[in-house]
Amino acid sequence: SQKIEQNSEALNIQEGKTATLTCNYTNYSPAYLQWYRQDPGRGPVFLLLIRENEKEKRKERLKVTFDTTLKQSLFHITASQPADSATYLCALGRGSSASKIIFGSGTRLSIRP
Amino acid sequence: DTAVSQTPKYLVTQMGNDKSIKCEQNLGHDTMYWYKQDSKKFLKIMFSYNNKELIINETVPNRFSPKSPDKAHLNLHINSLELGDSAVYFCASSPAQGLDQPQHFGDGTRLSIL
């Protein structure tokens, strides 16, 4: 069955360092991959989308890579700040049908001052 | 000026009751969704509507019935609530169908069944 794994339940990073989160998938060939941020008690907020024919996407301090051979996406936050502390979710999809959307369970990121 | 708003934020009720959750979006989007987030934090899609028309109905008990009176509203009615229905339910919208459309989520309704 289709499966998404995000690297760990929690990640602690010193402020200023680069945080790297991993999203691995099996038994699936996504056409798109999205990353969301979720704060406690709030809904997910869309951050970035990357397509299967794109290797890398950037937005300010965020960078996403998509390796369809390794079946993996990496999400980087450079110059991390305590305000970046949140849970980050990856979501995969194929085709135009939203029913193919699969979310990971997220990685809780904590940036310590 | 909240983009996607859902009410109530918390819902505590007894097993067997019927309850509704309301959702409204003011983004002018064509597509709306209901998701369930369980205790392990997995988000699973339940329903999707495009311009008031049901386009996705995942494997969900028929005790759950969505209703879309217009494209800005998608409500969720749940009959005969069971303990396993306890979860956070999120409403979302996107400009159109397709995963290449960013989804805008509400802040969730935390449903607790006693």
Side-chain angles (χ1 to χ4, degrees):
Chain A
S1 62
Q2 299 158 349
K3 197 173 175 183
I4 298 182
E5 284 185 352
Q6 295 193 236
N7 57 329
S8 61
E9 274 197 23
L11 198 60
N12 291 299
I13 301 290
Q14 179 75 44
E15 182 177 8
K17 302 288 187 187
T18 296
T20 298
L21 284 65
T22 306
C23 178
N24 294 301
Y25 58 93
T26 54
N27 298 322
Y28 200 59
S29 296
Y32 308 102
L33 191 148
Q34 296 185 352
W35 282 89
Y36 287 82
R37 168 185 173 140
Q38 187 172 22
D39 290 286
R42 307 298 300 272
V45 175
F46 171 78
L47 295 174
L48 281 166
L49 176 145
I50 187 166
R51 294 179 170 81
E52 61 180 336
N53 60 351
E54 296 175 317
K55 296 289 185 191
E56 183 180 296
K57 206 76 164 292
R58 289 175 186 262
K59 179 182 174 183
E60 298 170 354
R61 295 184 295 112
L62 309 180
K63 184 177 89 170
V64 171
T65 62
F66 193 6
D67 189 326
T68 55
T69 302
L70 292 178
K71 294 186 179 294
Q72 181 182 80
S73 174
L74 298 178
F75 177 79
H76 306 273
I77 306 176
T78 57
S80 59
Q81 304 165 1
D84 295 326
S85 299
T87 295
Y88 291 85
L89 309 172
C90 67
L92 310 178
R94 177 142 199 97
S96 62
S97 168
S99 69
K100 301 301 183 188
I101 296 174
I102 306 172
F103 277 84
S105 61
T107 297
R108 192 170 64 250
L109 177 66
S110 297
I111 310 296
R112 58 181 186 274
Chain B
D1 59 344
T2 306
V4 180
S5 59
Q6 49 184 116
T7 54
K9 189 170 176 67
Y10 300 97
L11 190 49
V12 181
T13 189
Q14 297 209 328
M15 220 164 42
N17 284 350
D18 303 339
K19 290 293 178 186
S20 292
I21 307 172
K22 295 187 175 182
C23 179
E24 175 181 5
Q25 54 96 1
N26 63 5
L27 297 166
H29 288 169
D30 285 343
T31 309
M32 294 185 73
Y33 311 83
W34 276 110
Y35 285 86
K36 179 180 180 180
Q37 189 171 42
D38 60 25
S39 56
K40 293 185 180 177
K41 304 301 182 185
F42 282 103
L43 262 173
K44 291 183 182 173
I45 193 166
M46 300 172 68
F47 301 103
S48 174
Y49 271 73
N50 190 62
N51 273 320
K52 301 194 301 175
E53 188 179 329
L54 179 66
I55 54 171
I56 291 168
N57 184 352
E58 288 295 290
T59 308
V60 175
N62 57 16
R63 298 182 294 104
F64 290 79
S65 53
K67 281 192 172 49
S68 182
D70 55 63
K71 76 171 194 177
H73 295 85
L74 181 62
N75 304 322
L76 183 65
H77 188 75
I78 316 170
N79 289 326
S80 304
L81 281 157
E82 299 177 358
L83 288 175
D85 297 333
S86 295
V88 182
Y89 292 85
F90 286 98
C91 176
S93 71
S94 63
Q97 297 178 52
L99 179 61
D100 60 340
Q101 303 287 322
Q103 300 202 16
H104 298 253
F105 285 82
D107 282 337
T109 295
R110 185 175 295 277
L111 175 61
S112 299
I113 310 301
L114 304 177

